[in-house]
């Protein structure tokens, strides 16, 4: 580490050198009044994290990690908060001199600002209360004008699979658009390294990128995120960099065929405190360190069930970071990466999973509490103190867009992994989101995707599987359900849904079962918040969602978010019939026998007649079953009303009892209007 | 030789499961229940409330007698509370709707229901609050059903079921290749009827209503409330966590906007879940209990939100133990009655959207 606690030294040529930043060119800007220094090439997010601002603010009263998955948007203070002016901090560049604000910024009064200055404690939080609404790109897209882009093939994801697919489609003479949400191409392949005789992924990416940049029928769109579907088009959000301050651009991407190559996403192990500031997912940690040299802090612990964590540990160690320990939830994991990290002197321990993260009593930021991850495991485990944790619960194929385009998703028998099932004919999956891991298989899947689109014979994609004796497969998602009320929330996933993994309700006390709010018992398991696939995967690991239910629940709950302004449905014009013209709806027509009479009454005493009020033969009767008629309409004459009456009770001058909400009174039947038989 | 059940009940609604359990436990019938347990994360596809837009006095009388009985039944199922007391608000946006509510109020009040007329609002022409109605906690009930049905001795099959066929006076069906033989088959919810009755027969007897069920995110802490729109049958239920369950014949976007407008104060809502499906209404709005065709399975339809509360009476009718009033009530509600001026006609919400299920999801 050098410079700050949150940047690696960045030796040239090192994988974690920060290939996107120019360290010789500093930039300064502010967010919510907090001054931030970074480097040219930084995103707003990487500059914030590099400056030690690791908290976005609070959620449920506890600190919440500033993370790329939150998709936080900022707006230049000079511009209005229109849809185009909101910028995602994970993609928008840090601009020297810019003044950014978020929606619902903290209410900073002058005294608290002065106190903060006097205390000389550097800010670590943007201070946003996440209980208050934040803008979302998918919702902003509805009010923005989107630019239409058409191509023969739209490729979503600029990793190895997506770039390979783009190259092959281009070679076949197709026009291609490649959308990649990160500001650079390549995806996460470099994190996984090469296997056996494969070419290093970084070399392959460099070659593919260099070729595609100079190919006229290929349009590469880095820093552009696919955010949803609209009428069959993919809605994407990119950045217009032509001005000093970038501006958001919405696109409607329409392709004759679509390749989804969105890769995999980190699964967040479920334990109390899993989204505290300084707790970072493995893929995010790799992306931030390789592109921007940003590291979660000094003295980092890793908690993983995936082999790739050991590779990042070695790379981090190589880059000057201090890795205090790697804790693996698998019992006796084997991997070439483990051997490499051991050779670097990185200490590791297996068979433990995180129970919770709590504030440390010493100078360290956190104390990590562990439990044995194997059945029957017991015995005291000393807490581990650390400043930051890189966590990984394995990989989940990123299939949200596939699902929105109509693709189905299956799960294996024990719910440990998701996989794509059948989908639309013109949408093809490739790479990590299709379940491929090795570089060779990822590349071949990109080729196979285009072969399928072109109607050629499709090559078989063969996954390189290393014998488990040498390479233990990634373990199941570690989950812990022992959180207490004092603990920080345990979130279900690392996405922007922020759903807390509450435990199912305990057996209820007799008194509470009688007097308690019963609905609360229901809502605990119902989760009223929008969910994403990562949340559902975690619920399966927690045994709160069975694999058999996954498909239906995913289809109905892991959906595009919409927001609706209050409005009444427009009442439709109704067909009038004789009966409705006479004020008799169908439900009323046989109400007092088929040959009822429409007639009028005049109140002799009591309250005015009410439409809907019941008519009885006399005031001693009030059983609705014995009603002989009902008031159907008032007339212009006070105290006079039209009624529907059983035929046998019709007789001019007859006295009846008319009941309403204000009591009852005597009325005289005065004249017949029409027999129902006349309809 | 296959076991011949007295009854096979097909359907996943609370009514179907309660009916199966009652027939087996109270009436000692051999019963096979073919249905599924909806996961609590899925949007609610139905709502079980002891009040609805009902205009017939005999229907209110039946409910008056059956709600306490159903409460006792629910208290004996599982360890959790399975029902709660609620004060639903029934609203009318048009003059005819208001007249129906007024008539309904007059009838229901005659059976001791406490009903308060509410002040006129910008949205409603008229509205009435029903006090102390009973809502079945459907998700909790579903969680308790497997154990209860087992205790009742019901044979439970969750799987894909084939259309029942009749052979030598018995019904034969298959669930995931397991043959089920019974003397009577009862299609006890709309989905079962749509799946197992010929489309021609369905459309002759019913109108299919494309319906959406949606879940809206909790936006703020809120008082639980239930609003039922008499023009459409749309229902919005705001839970204690502020999330809303909505069911009705609208596109999801219309349902979300409507539910937001019905809340106090009005607010924008974000979608958290949605499902679309067809529901059935009878031509005259009344209940149907009986076979649509000779030797066909019996259907239970048009019971609306109050259906589950009728389970004890329907079980008695099926077991030939019903009271004279119950017998008369259900005998009048057999299929094939005249469509016009039916003596059992109930109010039919007039608002419907002629949309496909796919269109409804947007």
């Amino acid at each position: 580490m050098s410079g700050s606690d949150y940047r690696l030294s960045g030796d040239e040529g090192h994988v974690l050198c920060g290939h996107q930043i120019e360290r010789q060119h500093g930039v300064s800007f502010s967010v919510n009044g907090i001054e931030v220094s970074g480097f040219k090439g930084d995103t707003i997010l990487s500059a914030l994290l590099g400056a030690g601002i690791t908290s976005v603010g609070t959620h449920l009263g506890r600190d919440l990690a500033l993370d790329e998955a939150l998709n936080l948007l900022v707006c230049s203070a000079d511009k209005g908060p229109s849809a185009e002016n909101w910028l995602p901090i994970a993609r928008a560049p840090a601009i020297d001199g810019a003044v950014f604000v978020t929606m619902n910024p903290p209410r900073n009064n002058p005294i608290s600002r002065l106190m903060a200055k006097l205390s000389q404690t550097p800010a670590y939080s943007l201070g946003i209360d996440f209980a208050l609404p934040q803008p979302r790109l998918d919702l902003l897209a509805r009010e923005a004008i989107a630019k239409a882009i058409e191509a023969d093939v739209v490729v979503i994801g600029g990793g190895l699979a997506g770039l390979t697919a783009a190259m092959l489609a281009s070679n076949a003479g197709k026009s291609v658009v490649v959308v990649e949400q990160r500001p650079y191409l390549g995806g996460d392949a470099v994190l996984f390294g090469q296997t056996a005789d494969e070419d290093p992924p970084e070399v392959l990416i460099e070659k593919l990128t260099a070729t595609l940049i100079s190919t006229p029928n290929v349009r590469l769109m880095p820093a552009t995120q696919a955010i949803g579907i609209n009428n069959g088009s993919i809605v994407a959000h990119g950045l217009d960099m032509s001005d000093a301050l970038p501006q958001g651009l919405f696109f409607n991407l329409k392709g004759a065929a679509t390749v989804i190559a969105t890769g995999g996403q980190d699964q967040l192990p479920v334990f109390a405190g899993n989204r505290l500031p300084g707790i970072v997912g493995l893929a995010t940690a790799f992306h931030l360190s390789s592109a921007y040299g940003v590291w979660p802090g000094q003295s980092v612990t890793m908690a993983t069930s995936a082999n790739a964590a050991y590779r990042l540990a070695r790379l981090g160690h190589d880059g000057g970071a201090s890795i205090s320990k790697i804790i693996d939830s698998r019992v006796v994991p084997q991997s070439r990466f483990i051997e490499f990290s051991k050779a670097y002197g990185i200490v590791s321990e297996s068979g433990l999973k995180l129970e919770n993260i709590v504030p440390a009593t010493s100078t360290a930021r956190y104390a990590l509490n562990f439990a044995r991850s194997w059945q029957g495991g017991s015995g005291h485990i000393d807490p581990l103190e650390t400043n930051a944790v890189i966590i990984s619960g394995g990989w989940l194929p990123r299939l949200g867009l596939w699902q929105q385009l109509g693709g189905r998703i299956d799960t294996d028998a024990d719910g440990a992994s998701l996989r794509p099932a059948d989908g639309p004919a013109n949408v093809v999956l490739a790479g990590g989101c299709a379940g491929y891991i090795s570089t060779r298989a990822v590349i071949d899947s990109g080729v196979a995707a285009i072969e399928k689109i072109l109607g050629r014979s499709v090559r078989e994609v063969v996954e390189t599987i290393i014998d488990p004796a040498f390479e233990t497969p990634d373990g199941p998602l570690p989950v812990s359900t022992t959180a207490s009320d004092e603990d920080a929330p345990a979130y279900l996933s690392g996405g922007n849904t922020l759903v807390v993994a509450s435990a199912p309700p305990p057996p209820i006390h007799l008194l509470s079962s009688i007097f308690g709010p019963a609905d609360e018992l229901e809502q605990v398991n119902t989760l009223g918040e929008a969910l994403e696939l990562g949340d559902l995967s975690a619920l399966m690991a927690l045994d709160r969602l069975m694999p058999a239910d996954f498909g239906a629940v995913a289809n109905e709950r892991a959906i595009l978010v919409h927001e609706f302004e209050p409005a009444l449905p427009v009442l439709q014009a109704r067909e009038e019939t004789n009966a409705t013209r006479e004020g008799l709806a169908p439900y009323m027509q046989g109400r007092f026998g088929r040959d009822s009479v429409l007639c009028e009454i005049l109140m002799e005493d009591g309250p005015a007649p009410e439409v809907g009020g019941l008519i009885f033969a006399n005031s001693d009767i009030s059983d609705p079953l014995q009603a002989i008629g009902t008031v159907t309409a008032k007339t212009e004459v006070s105290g006079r009303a039209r009624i529907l009456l059983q035929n046998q009770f019709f007789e001019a001058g007859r006295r009846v009892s008319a009941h309403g909400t204000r009591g009852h009174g005597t009325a005289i039947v005065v004249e017949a209007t029409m027999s129902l038989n006349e309809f | 030789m296959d076991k011949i059940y007295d009854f096979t009940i097909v359907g996943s609604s609370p009514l179907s499961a309660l009916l199966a359990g009652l027939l087996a436990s109270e009436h000692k019938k051999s019963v096979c229940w073919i249905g599924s347990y909806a996961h609590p994360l899925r949007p609610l596809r139905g709502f079980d409330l002891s009040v609805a837009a009902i205009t017939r006095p005999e229907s209110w009388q039946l409910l008056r007698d059956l709600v306490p009985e159903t409460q006792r039944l629910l208290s004996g199922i599982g360890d959790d509370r399975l029902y709660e007391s609620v004060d639903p608000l029934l609203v009318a946006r048009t003059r005819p709707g208001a007249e129906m509510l007024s008539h309904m109020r007059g009838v229901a009040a005659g059976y001791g229901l406490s009903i308060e007329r509410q002040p006129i609002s910008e949205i409603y022409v008229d509205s009435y609050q029903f006090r102390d109605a009973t809502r079945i906690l459907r998700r909790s009930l579903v969680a308790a059903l497997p154990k209860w049905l087992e205790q009742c001795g019901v044979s439970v099959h969750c799987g894909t079921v084939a259309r029942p066929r009749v052979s030598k006076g018995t019904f034969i069906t298959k669930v995931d290749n397991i043959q089920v033989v019974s003397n009577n088959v009862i299609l006890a919810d709309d989905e079962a009827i749509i799946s197992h009755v010929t489309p021609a027969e369905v459309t002759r007897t019913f109108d299919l209503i494309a319906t959406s069920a949606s879940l809206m995110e909790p936006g703020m802490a809120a008082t639980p409330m239930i609003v039922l729109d008499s023009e459409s049958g749309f229902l919005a239920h705001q839970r204690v966590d502020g999330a809303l369950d909505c069911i009705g014949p609208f596109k999801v976007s219309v349902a979300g906007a409507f539910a937001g407008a019905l809340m106090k104060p009005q607010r924008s809502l974000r979608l958290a879940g949605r499902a679309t499906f067809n529901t059935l209404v009878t031509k005259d709005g009344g209940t149907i209990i009986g076979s649509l065709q000779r030797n066909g399975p019996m259907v239970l339809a048009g019971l609306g939100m109050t259906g589950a509360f009728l389970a004890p009476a329907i079980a008695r009718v099926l077991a030939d133990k019903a009271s004279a009033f119950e017998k008369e009530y259900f005998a009048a509600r057999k299929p094939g009655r005249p469509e016009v001026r039916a003596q059992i006609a109930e109010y039919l919400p007039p608002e419907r959207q002629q949309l496909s299920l796919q269109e409804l999801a947007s």
Side-chain angles (χ1 to χ4, degrees):
Chain A
M1 305 282 291
S2 71
S4 103
D5 289 346
Y6 302 95
R7 295 269 189 187
L8 297 172
S9 50
D11 298 335
E12 203 173 324
H14 188 266
V15 175
L16 306 186
C17 68
H19 55 76
Q20 289 296 102
I21 56 171
E22 297 174 25
R23 293 177 191 256
Q24 66 278 23
H25 294 121
V27 294
S28 293
F29 61 97
S30 72
V31 179
N32 287 350
I34 299 169
E35 296 293 332
V36 184
S37 295
F39 298 113
K40 189 178 178 191
D42 260 327
T43 60
I44 299 171
L45 176 69
S46 68
L48 283 165
L49 293 171
I53 297 166
T54 54
S55 169
V56 71
T58 56
H59 181 245
L60 303 175
R62 308 301 283 262
D63 266 334
L64 180 68
L66 179 63
D67 193 287
E68 62 176 349
L70 276 178
N71 252 336
L72 183 71
L73 307 183
V74 294
C75 179
S76 166
D78 300 336
K79 296 185 174 183
S82 64
E84 292 77 13
N85 290 340
W86 286 110
L87 302 171
I89 64 168
R91 288 185 279 127
I95 304 289
D96 196 38
V99 177
F100 296 115
V101 289
T102 63
M103 183 178 272
N104 291 315
R107 275 185 242 160
N108 254 344
N109 62 46
I111 296 171
S112 63
R113 275 207 299 271
L114 182 68
M115 294 289 284
K117 227 171 198 174
L118 287 174
S119 71
Q120 292 191 322
T121 311
Y124 79 99
S125 172
L126 292 179
I128 302 166
D129 179 359
F130 252 65
L132 299 171
Q134 288 294 319
R136 294 175 58 118
L137 286 174
D138 45 5
L139 299 177
L140 291 171
R142 296 175 153 228
E143 58 191 73
I145 298 166
K147 185 179 175 189
I149 295 180
E150 292 198 11
D152 296 326
V153 181
V154 171
V155 180
I156 308 296
L160 258 185
L163 295 177
T164 303
M167 176 74 86
L168 209 73
S170 159
N171 289 345
K174 303 291 182 188
S175 59
V176 184
V177 169
V178 181
V179 169
E180 166 56 45
Q181 72 174 44
R182 289 182 180 151
Y184 55 91
L185 301 169
D188 291 326
V190 176
L191 170 61
F192 297 96
Q194 66 190 110
T195 308
D197 55 349
E198 289 172 344
D199 286 334
E202 51 268 43
V203 173
L204 296 166
I205 290 163
E206 202 177 325
K207 277 185 196 167
L208 281 165
T209 307
T211 311
L212 288 169
I213 283 174
S214 56
T215 306
N217 58 341
V218 176
R219 178 171 179 174
L220 299 173
M221 300 175 68
T224 302
Q225 186 183 2
I227 53 176
I229 307 295
N230 182 23
N231 287 332
S233 295
I234 294 169
V235 182
H237 178 266
L239 296 170
D240 177 358
M241 311 289 280
S242 54
D243 274 344
L245 270 174
Q247 199 168 26
L249 282 176
F250 290 90
F251 301 101
N252 277 336
L253 307 174
K254 188 86 182 164
T258 301
V259 177
I260 297 180
T262 40
Q265 67 190 69
D266 258 340
Q267 286 213 88
L268 183 73
V270 181
F271 59 86
N274 60 357
R275 292 188 74 169
L276 284 167
I279 316 302
V280 185
L282 178 62
T284 301
F286 171 73
H287 154 62
L288 289 167
S289 54
S290 66
Y292 310 105
V294 170
W295 194 249
Q298 288 184 325
S299 170
V300 169
T301 299
M302 289 187 157
T304 186
S305 61
N307 294 329
Y310 292 88
R311 174 161 157 81
L312 182 62
R314 184 178 68 76
L315 292 170
H317 183 275
D318 230 8
S322 162
I323 312 293
S324 61
K325 201 169 189 180
I326 303 177
I327 305 291
D328 198 317
S329 61
R330 298 168 296 176
V331 179
V332 191
Q334 300 291 328
S335 168
R336 64 194 191 281
F337 296 136
I338 295 174
E339 297 309 315
F340 292 150
S341 66
K342 274 184 188 166
Y344 275 73
I346 300 169
V347 181
S348 61
E349 192 171 352
S350 62
L352 300 179
K353 64 175 182 177
L354 264 166
E355 282 279 278
N356 63 8
I357 295 183
V358 296
T361 49
S362 68
T363 50
R365 195 173 189 181
Y366 297 121
L368 316 184
N369 292 306
F370 295 94
R372 309 267 176 216
S373 57
W374 37 280
Q375 210 167 17
S378 62
H380 177 76
I381 305 152
D382 286 331
L384 190 63
E385 299 206 333
T386 188
N387 287 325
V389 190
I390 294 175
I391 53 177
S392 175
W395 303 97
L396 191 68
R398 213 182 281 270
L399 291 167
L401 197 62
W402 164 254
Q403 192 195 24
Q404 287 167 23
L405 283 164
R408 279 198 320 109
I409 304 169
D410 275 345
T411 175
D412 58 5
D414 57 4
S417 64
L418 305 184
R419 54 179 179 236
D422 54 320
N426 63 340
V427 183
V428 191
L429 290 155
C433 66
Y436 299 109
I437 301 166
S438 68
T439 305
R440 186 72 261 156
V442 165
I443 291 170
D444 284 352
S445 71
V447 174
I450 298 302
E451 286 172 341
K452 187 176 176 192
I453 287 168
L454 297 175
R456 297 176 183 164
S457 64
V458 178
R459 72 176 55 188
E460 187 187 0
V461 181
V462 180
E463 183 61 84
T464 310
I465 297 172
I466 302 171
D467 190 323
F470 303 106
E471 186 94 2
T472 308
D474 291 349
L477 178 67
V479 293
S480 167
T481 54
T482 57
S484 73
D485 289 347
E486 291 79 39
D487 283 340
Y491 292 94
L492 284 179
S493 74
N496 64 353
T497 49
L498 295 177
V499 182
V500 175
S502 304
I508 51 172
H509 189 269
L510 179 64
L511 285 179
S512 70
S513 74
I514 296 168
F515 301 111
D519 198 56
E520 284 184 359
L521 300 176
E522 286 201 299
Q523 58 149 340
V524 169
N525 282 322
T526 307
L527 299 176
E529 304 94 333
L531 301 174
E532 55 186 28
L533 292 172
D535 297 320
L536 299 185
S537 177
L539 286 170
M540 283 198 287
L542 287 160
D543 287 337
R544 287 171 57 191
L545 175 62
M546 296 299 115
D549 290 317
F550 173 82
V553 172
N555 194 35
E556 295 175 0
R557 293 298 305 274
I559 56 172
L560 277 173
V561 172
H562 294 273
E563 188 166 81
F564 312 114
E565 293 295 322
L568 295 177
V570 179
L571 286 164
Q572 293 168 22
R574 293 169 194 175
E575 202 176 307
E576 283 207 340
T577 62
N578 276 343
T580 52
R581 270 200 296 278
E582 286 300 323
L584 279 186
Y587 72 92
M588 195 58 82
Q589 291 166 27
R591 174 74 174 79
F592 296 99
R594 289 172 173 245
D595 55 351
S596 311
V597 176
L598 277 168
C599 60
E600 289 189 3
I601 53 167
L602 180 65
M603 296 301 295
E604 274 192 330
D605 57 38
E610 292 171 25
V611 174
L614 296 176
I615 307 294
F616 293 93
N618 60 61
S619 60
D620 295 336
I621 306 170
S622 61
D623 179 357
L625 265 181
Q626 295 182 50
I628 58 170
T630 185
V631 178
T632 60
K634 289 183 179 176
T635 68
E636 289 172 2
V637 181
S638 173
R640 200 167 164 132
R642 181 171 296 179
I643 67 167
L644 178 68
L645 188 66
Q646 280 184 29
N647 195 30
Q648 67 194 84
F649 289 93
F650 173 69
E651 182 188 345
R654 182 185 187 115
R655 282 185 167 73
V656 293
S657 181
H659 290 224
T661 52
R662 294 183 295 277
H664 60 86
T666 308
I668 302 173
V669 179
V670 285
E671 63 182 83
T673 311
M674 187 185 286
S675 162
L676 276 193
N677 287 329
E678 295 173 40
F679 285 125
Chain B
M1 185 173 166
D2 291 315
K3 173 180 179 175
I4 301 177
Y5 292 97
D6 293 325
F7 292 96
T8 292
I9 316 272
V10 187
S12 305
S13 64
L15 167 64
S16 66
L18 293 178
L19 194 56
L22 283 167
L23 281 169
S25 60
E26 296 288 314
H27 303 293
K28 310 301 173 202
K29 303 292 182 187
S30 58
V31 182
C32 174
W33 180 70
I34 302 173
S36 60
Y37 303 113
H39 193 276
L41 285 173
R42 299 180 69 182
L44 276 183
R45 288 174 172 239
F47 210 78
D48 308 292
L49 199 60
S50 66
V51 300
I54 296 170
T55 49
R56 292 277 157 187
E58 62 270 30
S59 298
W60 282 111
Q61 180 169 326
L62 193 68
L63 276 173
R64 181 195 63 183
D65 298 343
L66 290 175
V67 170
E69 187 179 352
T70 309
Q71 288 176 344
R72 287 194 296 276
L73 169 66
L74 293 168
S75 298
I77 300 174
D79 301 322
D80 291 344
R81 255 178 96 198
L82 301 182
Y83 67 90
E84 65 173 0
S85 178
V86 291
D87 301 329
L89 182 72
L90 275 71
V91 305
R93 291 179 288 136
T94 64
R95 185 49 51 198
E99 287 167 6
M100 183 282 296
L101 281 187
S102 179
H103 182 69
M104 183 180 80
R105 191 217 69 84
V107 176
Y111 291 101
L113 275 84
S114 171
I115 304 158
E116 295 163 13
R117 191 173 189 178
Q118 297 299 306
I120 305 295
S121 83
E122 290 173 7
I123 298 175
Y124 325 134
V125 172
D126 211 348
S127 63
Y128 291 88
Q129 190 128 41
F130 282 64
R131 298 291 180 194
D132 296 325
T134 299
R135 177 175 89 86
I136 295 177
L137 307 179
R138 187 182 270 222
R139 292 181 174 109
S140 301
L141 172 63
V142 169
L145 280 175
K147 191 176 167 191
W148 180 68
L149 288 172
E150 188 187 351
Q151 286 169 347
C152 292
V154 174
S155 175
V156 173
H157 291 281
C158 298
T160 309
V161 57
R163 183 174 291 179
R165 63 185 169 84
V166 182
S167 173
K168 295 176 186 171
T170 59
F171 290 90
I172 301 170
T173 189
K174 278 189 172 181
V175 192
D176 288 344
N177 293 322
I178 299 168
Q179 182 158 285
V180 176
V181 184
S182 55
N183 290 321
N184 300 281
V185 168
I186 299 169
L187 304 176
D189 67 16
D190 292 352
E191 189 183 348
I193 295 168
I194 293 166
S195 302
H196 301 296
V197 174
T198 61
E201 196 63 53
V202 168
T203 50
R204 187 158 45 239
T205 314
F206 304 101
D207 288 334
L208 264 82
I209 309 290
T211 303
S212 70
S214 47
L215 176 67
M216 305 293 165
E217 279 201 327
M220 60 179 84
T223 311
M225 61 185 289
I226 295 171
V227 185
L228 176 63
D229 174 45
S230 61
E231 313 299 339
S232 60
F234 176 79
L235 181 139
H237 170 219
Q238 181 162 265
R239 311 181 323 195
V240 287
D241 64 351
L244 275 95
D245 287 311
C246 306
I247 305 170
F250 294 124
K251 286 173 78 165
V252 169
S253 55
V254 176
F258 191 16
L262 290 172
M263 294 300 109
K264 287 178 185 172
Q266 292 193 351
R267 60 185 171 103
S268 299
L269 297 174
R270 281 186 183 178
L271 187 66
R274 52 106 183 87
T276 58
F277 48 94
N278 280 312
T279 54
L280 300 175
V281 294
T282 55
K283 305 284 186 187
D284 57 20
T287 297
I288 276 187
I289 173 168
S291 299
L292 298 181
Q293 53 197 147
R294 202 162 157 259
N295 297 329
M298 175 182 274
V299 301
L300 299 178
L303 294 105
M305 294 188 297
T306 59
F309 295 91
L310 306 187
I314 297 173
R316 281 191 287 271
V317 169
L318 295 172
D320 207 17
K321 302 267 181 65
S323 66
F325 174 72
E326 289 168 346
K327 275 183 190 166
E328 187 185 351
Y329 182 88
F330 289 108
R333 284 158 176 80
K334 285 184 175 161
R337 62 211 180 210
E339 278 187 24
V340 181
R341 261 180 265 165
Q343 305 243 8
I344 53 83
E346 292 280 7
Y347 174 73
L348 268 176
E351 289 293 307
R352 298 169 196 180
Q353 294 192 343
Q354 301 300 319
L355 295 170
S356 68
L357 292 182
Q358 205 169 18
E359 288 171 313
L360 216 64
S362 60

